[in-house]
Amino acid sequence: MSQHTSQWRYAAYGLAGLPLAMSALPVYVQVPAYYTSVHGMSLATLGWILFAARLVDTVQDPLLGHAIDRLHGGIARWMAPAALLLALSFAGLWLPPMAGVSSGWWLAAMLVLVYTAHSMVNIAYLAWGARIGGHDNKPAQLAAAGWREGAGLVGVMLASVIPAAILQGDPARAPADMLLFSALFGGLLLLAMLALLRAAPAWPQPVQAAADWRAALRRMAANQGFRRLLAPYFLNALSVSLPATLALFFINDRLQAGAMAGPFLACYFAAAACGLPLWTRLAARIGPAACWRLGMVLAVLGFAGASLLGPGDTWPYLAVCIAAGAALGADLAMPPVLLARLIDTGESTGIYYGTLTLLGKLALALSGLALPVLAWLGYRPGVAEHTLALALVYAGVPCLLKLLALYSLKSLSRLAPPLPSSSRSIP
């Protein structure tokens, strides 16, 4: 297979990253603002619902990963119903019934369905990328990750601009407009699934039969490199989840610049899209762990000053968005590539990625608790008072968590060295 042909097949694989990211961002960023502003849900109630739904989602990921490891050629039978469930539940998330069922119970049910369907697709998708070209084909894995995360950044730019514009418009029209956005998402998801199943490198069959879940867990627990990855991954995920949950509240009430929410988010993800190719090339030279550490340093330097901003500081915050966004590419691309290098040849991959996504979702669940904490501290959405606590939780706490993740990552560089010089030309 020529390199040109390979890149098109990697692109067919990576295209699914667009709708997966396009659905994830509104669930984590816009849902809190949507249910408080459009449906009048209290901040404390919303925070506990987010925490409970994300906690339910968290525990199932390793089990889903193990089920994926035991698939034998039936990846289409797994992906197709999961993608359909994701499209339907994502649309339902924005249309709570007007009577008969409380918006709280509806939100909890739809979140669980969206999370489950997204996990079913995403864990299989990540495990697929970890074995593209064979276990030892690290340039192919890095190239596939670059296409996946690049497409994902296009998805989050769409998901940051369109829903933000909808929420700034007439609240009465928001449910209908979000339904149109959901239809766009469903169409892109269908195209991505067709490309993945028909044109991407073949679904990697396991070298050996998957062990039962107890044996798989024991083998995973014995992997020293994987154990060292867990702490930095969780701390870093928490440092990203808190700002994602609070971003619109910070922009609306701390900066009092709600009309700029879409452009701010778009600049953040555009900077990430521009930086991603540079991060993947740098990772080929210095290794994914060292590259990830540099990204963390840049994120702290760029984001630390956000807690000092106040009403009218739109240009400084735009600079924060660009600097933090430029660092995001390392957060997105390096952990999956790093994990792929830590899994032994012939070992099942799904349970590893299921465990990693478990930690990411546990971080998201914990970030939901920031909402009742802020309510206890006196903050109320739409009220420009008691926003100092909001600023500190939005920016100060994540920077501290990022520094802890940076410190805990130091032991992984020697376990994931750079690629040989002959492979560095692969993007």
Side-chain angles (χ1 to χ4, degrees):
M1 180 187 304
S2 69
Q3 180 175 331
H4 178 74
T5 304
S6 296
Q7 289 303 316
W8 279 110
R9 298 192 70 184
Y10 296 148
Y13 164 80
L15 181 61
L18 191 158
L20 287 174
M22 187 179 175
S23 62
L25 184 75
V27 173
Y28 299 137
V29 176
Q30 271 95 14
V31 159
Y34 181 80
Y35 272 82
T36 54
S37 63
V38 177
H39 296 289
M41 186 175 292
S42 73
L43 199 64
T45 299
L46 176 64
W48 285 112
I49 290 174
L50 292 176
F51 173 72
R54 290 169 178 176
L55 198 60
V56 169
D57 179 46
T58 294
V59 300
Q60 68 186 349
D61 281 4
L63 299 177
L64 291 174
H66 183 63
I68 291 165
D69 285 334
R70 298 177 73 86
L71 291 175
H72 296 288
I75 190 61
R77 293 194 298 271
W78 177 275
M79 286 289 204
L84 178 62
L85 177 61
L86 177 58
L88 293 176
S89 57
F90 182 77
L93 185 62
W94 310 102
L95 297 172
M98 302 310 295
V101 179
S102 73
S103 58
W105 284 108
W106 180 267
L107 172 61
M110 289 300 104
L111 282 175
V112 170
L113 289 176
V114 167
Y115 290 154
T116 300
H118 194 277
S119 293
M120 291 176 67
V121 176
N122 194 50
I123 294 170
Y125 184 51
L126 291 173
W128 194 326
R131 288 290 184 262
I132 281 181
H135 179 273
D136 294 323
N137 196 338
K138 295 176 177 62
Q141 294 159 13
L142 194 58
W147 281 106
R148 179 182 65 227
E149 303 306 336
L153 289 170
V154 175
V156 295
M157 281 190 283
L158 290 174
S160 62
V161 174
I162 299 175
I166 291 172
L167 291 182
Q168 287 300 312
D170 183 2
R173 286 190 50 82
D177 290 341
M178 286 305 300
L179 184 59
L180 292 176
F181 177 75
S182 300
L184 173 63
F185 159 70
L188 291 173
L189 181 62
L190 174 62
L191 292 176
M193 288 296 105
L194 290 174
L196 180 66
L197 297 174
R198 293 179 178 271
W203 166 253
Q205 294 295 320
V207 177
Q208 58 191 39
D212 68 85
W213 66 272
R214 297 179 186 85
L217 284 175
R218 286 195 297 270
R219 186 167 181 178
M220 183 177 64
N223 188 322
Q224 182 183 16
F226 178 69
R227 294 201 310 270
R228 292 181 181 178
L229 177 62
L230 297 181
Y233 183 82
F234 174 72
L235 291 168
N236 188 71
L238 191 55
S239 76
V240 174
S241 300
L242 275 172
T245 300
L246 301 176
L248 292 185
F249 298 108
F250 181 85
I251 294 170
N252 288 335
D253 298 332
R254 179 67 176 179
L255 300 181
Q256 299 179 24
M260 292 292 294
F264 283 146
L265 294 174
C267 287
Y268 174 72
F269 291 115
C274 292
L276 184 61
L278 302 178
W279 289 117
T280 56
R281 289 182 179 276
L282 183 62
R285 294 183 176 277
I286 67 174
C291 188
W292 193 15
R293 289 206 311 274
L294 287 176
M296 290 182 184
V297 171
L298 178 58
V300 172
L301 293 176
F303 201 59
S307 60
L308 303 177
L309 301 181
D313 289 335
T314 54
W315 287 108
Y317 186 68
L318 182 62
V320 167
C321 290
I322 293 172
L328 181 64
D331 278 342
L332 294 174
M334 296 307 111
V337 173
L338 184 56
L339 176 56
R341 300 189 185 188
L342 298 175
I343 302 174
D344 294 335
T345 302
E347 195 171 357
S348 300
T349 58
I351 194 168
Y352 278 92
Y353 284 98
T355 302
L356 212 62
T357 56
L358 179 154
L359 291 178
K361 289 175 179 179
L362 179 59
L364 282 167
L366 292 175
S367 70
L369 294 180
L371 297 177
V373 169
L374 288 171
W376 177 72
L377 292 173
Y379 167 67
R380 298 291 182 270
V383 179
E385 297 177 0
H386 303 288
T387 59
L388 177 58
L390 172 64
L392 292 175
V393 177
Y394 170 74
V397 175
C399 286
L400 176 60
L401 291 168
K402 186 80 76 172
L403 290 173
L404 292 174
L406 177 63
Y407 177 78
S408 63
L409 187 61
K410 64 179 182 179
S411 63
L412 271 175
S413 291
R414 61 184 179 85
L415 296 176
L419 299 179
S421 59
S422 60
S423 301
R424 291 177 183 172
S425 61
I426 303 295

